[in-house]
Amino acid sequence: MAERDIRLWGDPVLRSPCAPVTVFDDGLKALAQDLVDTSLPEGRAAVAAPQIGVGVRAFGYDLDGRTGYVINPEVVEVGGELRDIEEGCLSVPGLFFPTLRYEFARVRGVDAENSPVEISGTEVFAQMLQHEVAHLDGQVYVQTLPKERRREAMKAIRGSDWFLARQP
């Protein structure tokens, strides 16, 4: 369908918990395809619906040779060590900060036909699953950083060209 514009830090849609999908129609199929299409460009791994301005529980991904989407995802299992992993976000472009993530994650949800979907992965794929579901809960990764790291992230955000360009 179409690659959509990414909403940036400061947009209220990124801080709002998303509603579960309850209507499974052609509009949802189009949204799922747009999420996948928006995750495809080089340097991207996944996109959550609020990042394109839609407040529903859905994300698309293209990572490690796996491409797809999940509607109404929930993290149902995490495991391995909880480690600091360098993390970035399309909604906070150009900035990366160590973020605590589990080495393994499993997500369950449904597809656009309301059929069950389960995906899991390790390392970067697990990081992506945790990151995207957090978006659907209204949380951008910089909000989860320890106090000193969060302060550093906020200073970097306020000093970034993309953030300054949005200020009146």
Side-chain angles (χ1 to χ4, degrees):
M1 301 300 283
E3 179 184 335
R4 303 261 205 104
D5 291 336
I6 300 293
R7 301 290 180 98
L8 299 176
W9 175 266
D11 191 315
V13 73
L14 297 173
R15 301 283 301 268
S16 302
C18 294
V21 172
T22 57
V23 176
F24 293 81
D25 60 7
D26 288 342
L28 179 62
K29 290 176 186 172
L31 172 63
Q33 189 60 55
D34 285 356
L35 288 167
V36 170
D37 290 348
T38 305
S39 71
L40 292 174
E42 186 70 31
R44 295 184 177 179
V47 175
Q51 291 182 281
I52 61 170
V54 181
V56 299
R57 293 190 70 81
F59 71 86
Y61 61 92
D62 179 50
L63 180 63
D64 293 343
R66 298 161 68 183
T67 303
Y69 66 90
V70 184
I71 308 295
N72 294 334
E74 298 294 333
V75 175
V76 296
E77 181 183 0
V78 291
E81 288 184 42
L82 186 59
R83 301 182 339 184
D84 264 338
I85 301 172
E86 198 71 13
E87 188 155 327
C89 180
L90 297 173
S91 295
V92 187
L95 301 175
F96 298 86
F97 297 93
T99 304
L100 284 174
R101 298 290 184 196
Y102 285 98
E103 293 176 306
F104 171 82
R106 181 182 318 279
V107 167
R108 283 192 190 128
V110 295
D111 65 15
E113 304 289 333
N114 203 18
S115 297
V117 171
E118 182 175 290
I119 57 174
S120 61
T122 59
E123 305 297 331
V124 175
F125 202 89
Q127 178 183 13
M128 176 274 294
L129 294 173
Q130 294 165 81
H131 180 107
E132 298 310 319
V133 172
H135 268 302
L136 305 179
D137 294 334
Q139 196 170 61
V140 178
Y141 86 102
V142 294
Q143 296 170 259
T144 70
L145 299 174
K147 190 175 184 175
E148 282 302 313
R149 213 176 279 165
R150 187 172 54 246
R151 189 174 295 132
E152 177 187 341
M154 293 310 300
K155 182 178 180 182
I157 289 169
R158 286 190 297 274
S160 66
D161 292 342
W162 58 265
F163 186 76
L164 293 173
R166 299 180 58 204
Q167 303 309 305

